[in-house]
Amino acid sequence: MSGGWKRWRRPILDINLIAVLLATLSSLPPDTSLAERRKQGVLRYCVPDSKDMLFEAERQLAKGIARQLGLKLQPQTVDNMGRSFNPRDWNLNRSQCDIIGGIADTATNRNFLMLLPNGGRIALVRAGPATPPPRGAEMGVFLDVAGLDRIRLATYLRKQGWRTRPLHSQDALEAWLTEGKQAVLSTQTRLPAGVQTHSLPPDASEVTELAFGLWRGDVTLIRAVRHALEQVHRNSDV
Amino acid sequence: MSAFLPILRGIHGVWLREIMRATRDRGQLLGGVSRPLIWLLILGVGLNPYFRGEVFGEVRLVLPYNYLQFLFPAVIVLNIMYTSIQFAVSVIWDREFGFLREVLVSPMPRWAVLLGKVLGGATAATGHGILVLILARFADVTLAPWQVFQAIVYMFMLSFALTCFGVVLAGKVRSFEGFGVFSNTVILPLYFASSSVFPLDPSLTRTQLAVSYPEWLVVLIRSNPITYTVDVLRGILIGFNQFPPYIGLSLVAAGIAIFFLIALRGFGK
C-alpha cells in the first residue's frame, strides 16, 4: 500500500501544484474597470430622470451597490433615454456611465450590455375604475417609455372594441383620469392620487424585468457589482 | 463473464500504464498549463477591450458574452486537442521500442489493447481540460455542479474521439519528429478555422455573414467539425450555441465509432 502511494506521490504533488498555480492565477484581475472606478471614487449611474420618483427604488439599490463597493454614486440624467426605440439614439457611452438604470431585460439589450436584473418590473396596466369600459367607449393610451410591445397592445385594444385616444403628455393623462375616464399606461407612469391600476391579460402586455446595464467586457466591475447587488438584497439594505 | 474479466484486467493495466506515463511526464503537464495561460490570460485579456461595449446600441461582438467568456470553452478544446492527438506519440514510442509487439502477442485481443491505450489518452486529455476549468473564475464563467458534470462527460467523449484520431495519424507517420510537425499542421488549422477565436454571428444570415467574412472562410468554418464540437462545450459552459448542439454531439459520437474502427484496422500493423 505504502509502495503504491509512493508511486503516485510525485504526480499527485505535481497536479496539486498546478491546480494551486491556476487557482492563484484565476484571482488576477482580467481588466482595470473596477480599479479605475476605485481610483476615481465614483460610480456613474445613468438614468432617464434622476429626480423621478419611479426610479427611486432602483436608485436606492444603485446607492447600496456603490456603498458596498466603497464608491460614491454619481447619478447622471440622460434626457434622451427611452425617447426612441433605437438605443443608439440615446447617445450613451462608456465615458458617460458605468451603470445604466431602467433597462428592460430583453434579448436585444443583452446583445449590447451585460444586464443584472434588479427586481424591478414593467408592464402595461389599465388605470381607472375597476370595471373595464364597454365596447365602443374611449380608452386613453399613454406610453411614456419605449420598448413595450405596441402592436400586441393595439391588437388587444381592437379586440375589446374600444376607441383609442392617444394621450401625449403627463398633464393630458392626469386631466383624462381626473374626468373618471380610463387609460392604458405602463407601471412606470406617475398617477394622480386615488387612481387605481388593474392588470391586463397576457395577450395585451407582457411583464418585462428591469435590470442594471453594464458595459460588456468590464469583467471586474460586473463581477463586483453582481456581488454587491447580492449583498444589498441579502442585507435588505433597500 | 469469467472470460471477460481477464480482458477487463488487461484494459485496466494498459490504461494505468498510460495514466502513469502521462502524469510522470512533466513536460506534458507543463504544456497543459501553459496553453490556457497563454490563450486565456494573455490573448484573452489582450483582445477583450477590442470586443467590449463602448456605445449602447453599437456592438463589435454581437453576443451576450464578453470575449473571455467566449474564448474559455475553446481553450478547453484546444488543450484537449493537443493532449489527445499528441498522445499518439506514445503509440509511436511503443512501436519503436517493441512494447507494442510484446503486448500484441499476449492473449489480450487487439481491440482491448487499443481500448486501454485510448482510454488512458482520453483520461489524460480530459484531465487537461479539467485543469482549464479552474480558470473559470478568471473568465467570469459561473459554473453549477451539473454544468461541470456535463462538461466533464462531454470532454471525455471528445478526448476519446480525438485520441482515436491521433492513433490513426500515428499509423501514417513513422517518426517522432514527423509526428510533431504533422500534429501541428493538423491541430492549429483545425482550431483556427473553427470559430473558436472569433464568432460567426448567429443573428446574421448567410448573405450578411458573407459581408463580414469572405465566403471561403465561412465555408471552411462551417465544414470544420471542431466548429461544432467547440459549440457544444460553449452551450454547456456559457449557455450559448451558434448551431444546434445535436450536430456537435453527433459528430463526436460518429468520431468515436469511426476513428476507433480505423485506428483498430491499422493498430499494431
Side-chain angles (χ1 to χ4, degrees):
Chain A
M1 185 67 195
S2 67
W5 157 241
K6 266 186 191 163
R7 200 165 56 162
W8 289 103
R9 197 168 58 184
R10 206 190 81 180
I12 289 171
L13 278 175
D14 284 347
I15 291 167
N16 278 323
L17 202 70
I18 286 169
V20 169
L21 171 77
L22 288 175
T24 310
L25 289 173
S26 73
S27 62
L28 283 174
D31 64 28
T32 58
S33 54
L34 181 62
E36 280 294 311
R37 295 296 101 233
R38 291 227 158 106
K39 211 191 298 174
Q40 293 180 10
V42 291
L43 189 68
R44 295 161 305 171
Y45 167 60
C46 288
V47 270
D49 183 355
S50 61
K51 291 187 186 71
D52 196 331
M53 288 303 288
L54 295 165
F55 289 101
E56 186 53 27
E58 198 187 81
R59 189 164 54 240
Q60 289 305 319
L61 262 182
K63 242 184 210 166
I65 291 169
R67 199 169 35 242
Q68 287 281 340
L69 299 178
L71 303 170
K72 187 176 175 293
L73 191 74
Q74 193 180 81
Q76 318 254 33
T77 306
V78 183
D79 294 333
N80 287 340
M81 274 181 81
R83 290 214 178 144
S84 155
F85 281 107
N86 184 0
R88 181 72 189 81
D89 299 336
W90 302 0
N91 292 324
L92 287 176
N93 58 56
R94 175 180 285 279
S95 59
Q96 239 178 332
C97 335
D98 301 314
I99 298 190
I100 304 168
I103 299 287
D105 191 350
T106 62
T108 311
N109 283 342
R110 278 187 182 270
N111 280 334
F112 298 123
L113 298 166
M114 275 292 177
L115 299 184
L116 299 180
N118 58 31
R121 285 168 166 207
I122 188 167
L124 289 172
V125 286
R126 180 173 56 81
T131 321
R135 291 180 77 83
E138 270 195 320
M139 173 64 83
V141 178
F142 180 71
L143 297 179
D144 53 344
V145 286
L148 297 167
D149 192 342
R150 284 160 162 79
I151 295 170
R152 188 166 167 174
L153 175 65
T155 311
Y156 170 76
L157 291 172
R158 248 196 318 273
K159 219 164 81 185
Q160 299 305 309
W162 294 327
R163 285 181 295 125
T164 53
R165 165 74 77 88
L167 302 167
H168 298 294
S169 66
Q170 182 70 33
D171 291 342
L173 171 74
E174 284 181 18
W176 179 267
L177 292 172
T178 315
E179 285 173 29
K181 292 176 177 170
Q182 304 203 19
V184 170
L185 35 82
S186 85
T187 47
Q188 299 287 305
T189 309
R190 200 169 36 231
L191 292 173
V195 174
Q196 300 287 312
T197 58
H198 316 281
S199 56
L200 290 174
D203 59 334
S205 152
E206 62 186 6
V207 178
T208 307
E209 307 280 331
L210 292 178
F212 288 119
L214 288 102
W215 299 106
R216 203 172 49 218
D218 285 355
V219 181
T220 48
L221 183 65
I222 291 169
R223 197 185 288 164
V225 169
R226 191 190 292 134
H227 181 69
L229 187 60
E230 281 167 11
Q231 289 291 111
V232 171
H233 279 310
R234 199 173 299 135
N235 300 342
S236 301
D237 217 352
V238 178
Chain B
M1 186 64 196
S2 58
F4 199 62
L5 215 59
I7 296 177
L8 272 182
R9 244 187 249 128
I11 293 172
H12 175 256
V14 177
W15 171 82
L16 193 63
R17 179 176 177 270
E18 295 306 326
I19 295 297
M20 285 174 78
R21 181 152 60 183
T23 49
R24 272 166 179 68
D25 185 351
R26 280 186 165 154
Q28 201 185 347
L29 281 176
L30 212 63
V33 182
S34 66
R35 273 187 298 273
L37 294 186
I38 291 167
W39 282 86
L40 211 59
L41 267 79
I42 298 175
L43 186 90
V45 171
L47 289 182
N48 192 42
Y50 295 95
F51 290 93
R52 71 185 187 186
E54 296 289 338
V55 177
F56 185 23
E58 264 184 26
V59 277
R60 292 174 199 169
L61 183 73
V62 191
L63 300 176
Y65 303 97
N66 65 46
Y67 188 62
L68 281 172
Q69 290 169 327
F70 177 78
L71 194 63
F72 181 68
V75 174
I76 294 179
V77 172
L78 179 72
N79 231 19
I80 288 175
M81 279 174 82
Y82 261 102
T83 315
S84 301
I85 296 179
Q86 294 211 325
F87 160 81
V89 170
S90 86
V91 177
I92 301 175
W93 182 278
D94 288 349
R95 199 170 53 207
E96 289 290 307
F97 293 92
F99 174 79
L100 203 56
R101 209 175 314 136
E102 284 174 31
V103 177
L104 287 175
V105 294
S106 73
M108 249 179 99
R110 209 149 50 98
W111 66 262
V113 178
L114 177 65
L115 186 64
K117 281 195 80 70
V118 171
L119 282 175
T123 310
T126 308
H128 281 217
I130 293 171
L131 281 180
V132 187
L133 285 181
I134 299 174
L135 290 170
R137 190 190 126 79
F138 180 82
D140 204 27
V141 174
T142 313
L143 295 173
W146 174 238
Q147 280 174 293
V148 175
F149 174 74
Q150 278 181 300
I152 291 174
V153 170
Y154 178 70
M155 284 193 279
F156 185 78
M157 286 169 62
L158 179 63
S159 302
F160 193 97
L162 288 170
T163 307
C164 291
F165 178 58
V167 176
V168 173
L169 289 184
K172 314 274 175 219
V173 185
R174 294 282 145 189
S175 69
F176 299 114
E177 299 81 6
F179 187 78
V181 176
F182 195 45
S183 71
N184 268 331
T185 55
V186 171
I187 295 170
L188 292 178
L190 272 176
Y191 183 70
F192 280 107
S194 70
S195 181
S196 48
V197 285
F198 53 88
L200 278 188
D201 185 345
S203 62
L204 299 183
T205 62
R206 203 184 168 87
T207 322
Q208 286 171 318
L209 259 183
V211 177
S212 310
Y213 301 112
E215 183 67 17
W216 61 263
L217 186 64
V218 177
V219 170
L220 201 65
I221 292 171
R222 284 185 186 275
S223 53
N224 182 352
I226 298 297
T227 301
Y228 304 95
T229 55
V230 171
D231 195 60
V232 173
L233 197 59
R234 268 201 192 110
I236 295 170
L237 295 177
I238 63 169
F240 171 72
N241 286 105
Q242 295 181 97
F243 305 97
Y246 70 84
I247 301 179
L249 286 169
S250 314
L251 283 170
V252 171
I256 290 172
I258 295 169
F259 290 132
F260 187 80
L261 287 176
I262 300 174
L264 185 62
R265 216 175 56 176
F267 187 62
K269 278 188 181 167

